[in-house]
Structures are given as structure tokens and as C-alpha cells.
Amino acid sequence: MHTVIVGIGGVGGYFGGKIADSGQKVTMIARGKHLEAIQKNGLQVKSINGDFITTPFMVTDTIDEVEQADLILICTKSWQVVEAAKMIRSILKEDTIVIPLQNGADNAEKLLSVLDSKHVVGGLCRIYSKIEAPGVISHFGFPPEVVFGELDKTKTERLQKVKEVFDKTGFNNRISDDILVDIWSKFMFIATVSGLGALTRATIGEMFGHPELNKTLRQTATEIYEIGIAKGVALPDDIVDKIMFFIGKQPYDSTASTQRDIMEHRPSELDNFNGFIVKEGKNLNISTPTNAFIYACLQPMEAKARKK
């Protein structure tokens, strides 16, 4: 199996690095100083589960150099998914599988706007990781996991082929019974803590422990639940309680990647998180006042970051 990783940030760097380190054929699409460092020194991963350095089969910023792929993991930011989908069309075979792993609720839909449905499998990952320096990935929290499944809930032979790739790496992975429920459950967590965290500059533990901010977290999650249900996602009735419990179990000083992007004046996934819920609320005639407030407050910072 030839696996291509598009986007070598915290997610693509860790999971792509683990696949390459297991001896499998991996091509990484990177750019700039990060690309140069990996080409020169290999990809270095500093992990709470053990550090390693790996040399992928190829690291490039030119898709024309890449061999056709059996599996493609899209690990860009949410707003870059459509661009990535257009880029990879030249390396698709008849049976190439494409899985998006970034945060967001509609990444599979974005892929389907460009690619034939036969290529697209739903997916998500759970990890705290980031680029520490060019060529260096830091995994600093959470047992890494990839969850994936067919969008129509069928159990197909190709899912087992993907699982074989992941099983060789040693990181946790599973085939989902309902990938949309899993995607929206993770989205509820990440969108709930990201925007409010950026707005308050508080850690997840600080927000959860503050009575009023705890209420705001729950209100944000509840609005996301209402949008998900209206879109036909079979979210369980107690999902908001479960997400709040999960938030409370996070490391006290942890922050979400989108929160860090906003605080460090980088373009973020704000539009794909709270902004997505506000947009879907308008489309579905569902009120989302908490998400709307958070989104409006952060929009000026996002606009400045994107002008740089």
C-alpha cells in the first residue's frame, strides 16, 4: 500500500510519521522550511509515547512527482480541503481511498464536491500535537487514535485494508459503526472549547471550572447538537452531557489547536467551527445565539490574520 499524506502538521506529521516508521511506503506533501528540514534530516517526532525519526519514501511539494496512491490522508486545515481534493485528482487510481482527518463536521462533504464518492471514506483523529520546529512534530497529549468508516455505514473490504495499514503502526484505530455520529461528537467537543478558549484566553480546565463559562460551554454544545440532529445525524440524547464530562477530563492546561492559532494571530478554523454552526443555523432556521456571539467576537481577529 502506498499512503500519501497531504499536510504534515501535527496530525499528518504524527500519523504519517508512524506509518512511515512502521516500514510502509509513505509520500508526504509538505512545503517551505518544513519540507526542506524533512528532506534533509528526516521527520522527527517527539512523543509522550516515545520519540522517533523516520525517512519517508518521498517528501515533496510537487504533486506531479508523486506516484499513484492506494490511500490518501488529508491532514490540512478544514478550509484547505477542497484545494487538497483538487490537487490529488492526478494521483487517484480506480480504487484509491481518501480519508479526511482534520477537525470539522463537513470535510467529507467538501471532498465529495470534488471527488467521486467511490473514493471518499469518513474519518477523524484524536491527538494533541503540533509543529514544534521545521521538521519536528510534538505529540504532547492524548493517546493518538484514528476512527474511520463508510459514510453509508456499510462494512466494506476496503476498510479492513485501511485498518491493516494502521494496525502495523501501533496507534489506536477503529472502524466506526456510524462515522457521522463520531465526526459530530468530536466536532462538538473541539468547536465548543476552541472558540470560547480563544475568546477568553483560558485553558480548557479554567473554562470548565468557571461556573459561568461552564454554562457557556454547555450552551455552545447544545446548539451544535440541535444543528446535528436537524441535519439527520443520529446523535444520542445524552451526547451534550458526555461531551461536558469529556471536557472535564482533559488536562487542566490544555488548549485546542484553533484556539492557539487565533491567539498567535494565524488563520484558523473559526469559520469551520462556530461559523459553520451559525451558517447552518440560518439555513435551518435554528437559533444559535451562543455560537453567533463567539463567532462575531473573533471575526475581526480572524480577518486580520488572513490579511497577513
Side-chain angles (χ1 to χ4, degrees):
M1 291 277 283
H2 177 211
T3 301
V4 174
I5 313 294
V6 182
I8 314 301
V11 168
Y14 180 84
F15 291 108
K18 288 290 286 184
I19 298 171
D21 195 50
S22 69
Q24 301 181 74
K25 183 177 180 179
V26 174
T27 294
M28 296 184 173
I29 309 296
R31 61 187 179 186
K33 293 182 179 180
H34 198 44
L35 166 68
E36 294 171 6
I38 299 171
Q39 288 176 326
K40 181 179 180 181
N41 304 313
L43 178 69
Q44 181 180 356
V45 177
K46 298 180 179 179
S47 171
I48 56 176
N49 294 338
D51 302 345
F52 63 91
I53 298 175
T54 187
T55 303
F57 170 74
M58 175 182 282
V59 188
T60 182
D61 60 358
T62 306
I63 197 68
D64 293 341
E65 297 178 352
V66 179
E67 295 179 15
Q68 288 188 309
D70 299 295
L71 172 64
I72 302 175
L73 302 182
I74 306 294
C75 303
T76 61
K77 295 293 188 179
S78 293
W79 75 83
Q80 298 168 322
V81 170
V82 170
E83 177 186 351
K86 292 177 180 177
M87 180 184 70
I88 64 171
R89 285 184 294 195
S90 63
I91 61 170
L92 294 178
K93 299 191 294 186
E94 182 68 20
D95 59 352
T96 300
I97 302 164
V98 183
I99 306 178
L101 292 183
Q102 59 281 106
N103 295 320
D106 62 341
N107 295 308
E109 294 176 31
K110 291 174 181 174
L111 289 180
L112 290 170
S113 72
V114 177
L115 306 178
D116 191 294
S117 60
K118 67 183 178 183
H119 295 297
V120 180
V121 167
L124 63 92
C125 70
R126 296 186 176 96
I127 188 173
Y128 285 119
S129 58
K130 64 180 180 180
I131 297 176
E132 181 177 291
V136 182
I137 302 297
S138 172
H139 161 225
F140 53 91
F142 204 87
E145 180 183 31
V146 173
V147 182
F148 58 102
E150 300 287 0
L151 297 173
D152 64 1
K153 306 180 191 178
T154 56
K155 294 295 189 291
T156 58
E157 183 179 341
R158 67 178 182 169
L159 295 180
Q160 292 299 329
K161 292 181 179 179
V162 173
K163 196 169 194 319
E164 288 176 9
V165 172
F166 294 161
D167 283 347
K168 290 177 183 177
T169 69
F171 61 70
N172 296 333
N173 70 94
R174 67 177 174 86
I175 297 172
S176 173
D177 291 327
D178 190 334
I179 191 61
L180 289 179
V181 169
D182 284 323
I183 288 170
W184 273 80
S185 297
K186 186 205 174 179
F187 173 70
M188 186 181 294
F189 161 70
I190 200 70
T192 293
V193 299
S194 292
L196 189 61
L199 190 58
T200 62
R201 304 296 195 266
T203 68
I204 292 176
E206 288 169 338
M207 291 189 292
F208 187 82
H210 188 284
E212 291 303 317
L213 292 180
N214 187 287
K215 290 179 183 178
T216 305
L217 288 170
R218 180 174 288 274
Q219 289 164 352
T220 305
T222 299
E223 292 174 8
I224 295 171
Y225 168 78
E226 291 170 350
I227 296 297
I229 291 295
K231 288 178 69 66
V233 182
L235 293 167
D237 295 340
D238 62 348
I239 186 64
V240 172
D241 289 335
K242 288 181 176 178
I243 292 299
M244 290 301 295
F245 179 80
F246 183 71
I247 291 172
K249 292 296 183 181
Q250 298 307 296
Y252 187 85
D253 292 328
S254 59
T255 56
S257 59
T258 290
Q259 174 182 352
R260 296 192 296 273
D261 285 340
I262 294 173
M263 291 174 62
E264 294 168 18
H265 309 289
R266 295 192 296 262
S268 79
E269 293 176 308
L270 175 66
D271 284 344
N272 306 101
F273 290 2
N274 306 97
F276 171 75
I277 291 301
V278 173
K279 181 188 72 175
E280 292 300 306
K282 291 177 179 177
N283 291 338
L284 296 164
N285 198 29
I286 295 174
S287 178
T288 58
T290 307
N291 281 274
F293 175 76
I294 293 169
Y295 181 53
C297 288
L298 293 173
Q299 274 184 306
M301 291 183 64
E302 184 70 18
K304 287 181 182 178
R306 289 184 178 273
K307 287 180 180 178
K308 289 184 178 181

